[in-house]
């Protein structure tokens, strides 16, 4: 047993767990790394969950908090409990198209975890009520994240300057944000683990982490140490953009338990990522984002094949197989978001926005959803399942 694992175990026994809170930790044996919840193996079958109403987006400040959607005033959250499948594709809810809700649709797909960031929205109370029911009623836990200065959130930096991890005051503000996250969510039954950042090492996230990686890594360590001091029952992951700078976490971050990685390496999976992580990081790996389609985002067969290649590769490197360091992953993403090409009221044409893929191919971020919002007339409740949703039901659905 490592010194870190021993310390975490000692802290758990010295501080009695509140009712409903789980003991989550990563363990290692000859077969590799395993995430365990209350002693039982737990492999993350995750999805990046959020609902964006057509016509809204973060760029112009119009994005509402999905946890507060209740258009009919019945006291029930619309996406969570009243989303419905537009089976005939006419854009209107028919008599035989019952309200199902995203939580139930995720359960049917076999999802056991969603990724959720505390500082994306302000209304924590509304989210906590929903997340408690997500776990109690549907068996789905939550990877609770903090953007940790990405897009200048909570750092106090200007958008133009970006978060400066060398600045003592900004460091203090970010640690205060992490402290608030821990105190708010550490005793909740839905909390599975902590996520720090979201590709903060990449320049487009408005940080200087890429220019001053040691300053960033040392603050990640301070935050991880703080989380273990305040909590001690949930492991800590840093969320990196691919593997750039991975060795810094091994050098500077002994309190980080998991290397989280957003990786888009193509339809066959992740290539040498697992062995690279095994060599340069040495600990377990959680794929915190993967997905997309390398057929301009509009070919459902290509999208399903892409995800199948990724989820198969993750499973092939779990404990006892391959590199033995995979803890699971989060598919990106649950539902199409129309704002990503600039106009939140219209669905982008193919190839007009997105990332550059392997071999120069591109895909459109507005079509990354496992489900679509159809023609948008019934947003935020209308859903159309894509072939990739059916692929996951076969791969993940609970027996």
């Amino acid at each position: 047993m490592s010194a870190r694992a021993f310390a975490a175990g000692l802290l758990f026994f010295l501080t009695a767990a509140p009712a409903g809170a789980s003991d989550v930790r990563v363990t290692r044996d000859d077969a590799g790394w395993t995430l365990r919840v209350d002693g039982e193996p737990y492999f993350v079958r995750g999805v990046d969950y959020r609902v964006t109403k057509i016509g809204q987006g973060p760029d112009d400040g119009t994005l509402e908090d999905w946890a507060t959607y209740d258009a009919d005033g019945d006291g029930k959250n619309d996406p969570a409990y009243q989303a419905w499948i537009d089976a005939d594709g006419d854009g209107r809810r028919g008599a035989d198209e019952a309200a199902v809700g995203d939580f139930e649709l995720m359960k049917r797909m076999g999802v056991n975890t969603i990724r959720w960031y505390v500082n994306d929205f302000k209304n924590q109370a509304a989210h906590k009520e929903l997340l408690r029911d997500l776990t109690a009623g549907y068996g789905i836990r939550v990877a609770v994240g903090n953007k940790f200065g990405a897009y200048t959130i909570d750092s106090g930096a200007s958008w133009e300057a970006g978060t400066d991890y060398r600045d003592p005051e900004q460091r203090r503000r970010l640690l205060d944000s992490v402290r608030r996250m821990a105190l708010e969510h550490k005793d909740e039954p839905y909390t599975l683990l902590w996520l720090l950042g979201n590709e903060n090492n990449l320049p487009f996230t408005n940080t200087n982490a890429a220019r001053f990686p040691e300053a960033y890594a040392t603050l990640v360590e301070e935050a991880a140490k703080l989380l273990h001091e305040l909590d001690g029952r949930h492991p800590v992951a840093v969320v990196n953009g691919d593997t750039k700078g991975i060795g810094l976490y091994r050098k500077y971050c002994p309190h980080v338990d998991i290397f989280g990685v957003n990786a888009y390496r193509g339809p066959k999976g992740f290539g040498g990522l697992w062995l690279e992580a095994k060599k340069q990081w040495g600990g377990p790996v959680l794929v915190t984002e993967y997905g997309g389609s390398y057929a301009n985002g509009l070919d459902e067969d290509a999208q399903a094949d892409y995800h199948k290649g990724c989820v198969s590769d993750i499973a092939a490197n779990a404990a006892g197989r391959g590199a033995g360091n995979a803890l699971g992953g989060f598919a990106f993403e649950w539902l199409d978001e129309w704002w990503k090409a600039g106009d939140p009221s219209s669905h982008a044409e193919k190839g007009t926005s997105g990332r550059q893929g392997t071999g120069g191919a591109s895909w459109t971020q507005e079509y990354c959803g496992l489900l679509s919002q159809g023609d948008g007339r019934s947003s935020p409740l209308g859903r159309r399942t894509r072939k990739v949703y059916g692929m996951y039901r076969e791969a993940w659905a609970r027996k």
Side-chain angles (χ1 to χ4, degrees):
M1 177 182 291
S2 69
R4 180 166 55 195
F6 176 79
L10 180 61
L11 181 60
F12 172 70
F13 285 111
L14 291 177
T15 56
S22 291
D23 171 37
V24 185
R25 64 186 69 204
V26 288
T27 62
R28 185 183 185 182
D29 58 23
D30 291 342
W33 293 91
T34 303
L35 186 68
R36 295 184 181 275
V37 176
D38 296 326
E40 295 298 320
Y42 187 103
F43 199 70
V44 174
R45 303 189 301 270
V47 68
D48 192 312
Y49 180 79
R50 59 181 157 284
V51 177
T52 302
K53 189 175 183 179
I54 303 305
Q56 298 181 359
D59 294 341
D60 59 3
T62 59
L63 183 63
E64 295 179 59
D65 185 344
W66 65 266
T68 65
Y69 287 152
D70 182 17
D72 58 6
D74 66 351
K76 295 181 179 179
N77 179 260
D78 293 342
Y81 305 114
Q82 296 174 335
W84 50 275
I85 299 297
D86 184 11
D88 58 14
D90 67 355
R92 297 184 298 271
R93 181 181 168 193
D96 58 345
E97 294 172 332
V100 180
D102 282 336
F103 288 3
E104 175 63 25
L105 290 171
M106 285 192 287
K107 179 181 178 181
R108 292 178 186 181
M109 190 178 111
V111 172
N112 65 6
T113 317
I114 66 167
R115 190 176 71 143
W116 174 77
Y117 279 87
V118 298
N119 35 22
D120 276 347
F121 300 105
K122 301 298 183 184
N123 194 333
Q124 297 291 300
H127 280 275
K128 288 180 70 172
E129 180 180 353
L130 287 169
L131 296 177
R132 287 168 181 162
D133 188 54
L134 178 67
T135 300
Y138 302 87
I140 299 173
R141 295 176 184 268
V142 183
V144 179
N146 187 299
K147 290 292 177 64
F148 205 54
Y151 312 108
T152 70
I153 296 173
D154 286 346
S155 71
S158 69
W159 181 263
E160 293 75 18
T163 297
D164 188 346
Y165 293 101
R166 301 166 300 166
D167 183 277
E169 179 61 20
Q170 292 186 41
R171 291 172 73 96
R172 182 193 66 77
R173 288 172 177 160
L174 293 174
L175 290 176
D176 284 348
S177 178
V178 169
R179 182 186 300 275
R180 291 193 299 271
M181 173 182 74
L183 296 178
E184 187 75 14
H185 300 284
K186 68 185 180 68
D187 297 334
E188 295 292 341
Y190 53 75
T191 299
L192 178 69
L193 51 85
W194 307 111
L195 302 174
L196 290 174
N198 185 43
E199 302 180 341
N200 297 34
N201 63 307
L202 301 182
F204 63 78
T205 57
N206 287 71
T207 78
N208 70 5
R211 294 175 56 214
F212 304 101
E214 290 84 2
Y216 176 62
T218 57
L219 190 61
V220 168
E221 166 60 12
E222 288 187 43
K225 184 177 180 181
L226 177 63
L227 285 167
H228 281 294
E229 290 172 350
L230 294 173
D231 176 24
R233 301 184 189 94
H234 304 98
V236 179
V238 62
V239 179
N240 209 59
D242 213 278
T243 56
K244 184 177 181 180
I246 185 173
L248 290 167
Y249 304 118
R250 184 172 190 168
K251 181 177 181 180
Y252 292 107
C253 304
H255 286 88
V256 170
D257 304 288
I258 300 167
F259 178 68
V261 58
N262 294 358
Y264 297 88
R265 293 195 175 189
K268 295 184 179 180
F270 306 95
L273 184 151
W274 309 108
L275 293 179
E276 183 180 356
K278 192 170 186 176
K279 180 179 180 180
Q280 296 190 43
W281 159 242
V285 178
L286 180 62
V287 185
T288 39
E289 271 187 33
Y290 69 89
S293 171
Y294 281 69
N296 289 319
L298 304 180
D299 185 331
E300 288 195 25
D301 289 315
Q303 183 190 30
D305 288 344
Y306 185 104
H307 278 259
K308 185 175 182 179
C310 291
V311 74
S312 297
D313 193 32
I314 293 171
N317 286 280
R321 306 178 66 187
N325 54 1
L327 300 182
F330 293 86
F332 184 85
E333 61 181 327
W334 176 249
L335 190 66
D336 282 353
E337 298 180 282
W338 285 21
W339 60 268
K340 294 188 173 183
D343 181 0
S345 297
S346 64
H347 219 173
E349 297 296 326
K350 61 182 181 180
T352 55
S353 70
R355 304 169 184 264
Q356 196 68 15
T358 303
S362 65
W363 48 268
T364 306
Q365 281 205 39
E366 291 197 359
Y367 292 82
C368 284
L370 308 182
L371 297 88
S372 82
Q373 299 199 57
D375 61 11
R377 286 184 293 169
S378 298
S379 179
L381 297 179
R383 307 277 183 271
R384 293 187 193 172
T385 57
R386 292 195 169 112
K387 290 183 179 179
V388 65
Y389 178 84
M391 184 281 295
Y392 275 110
R393 287 198 68 167
E394 292 183 10
W396 281 358
R398 300 177 180 119
K399 306 301 182 184

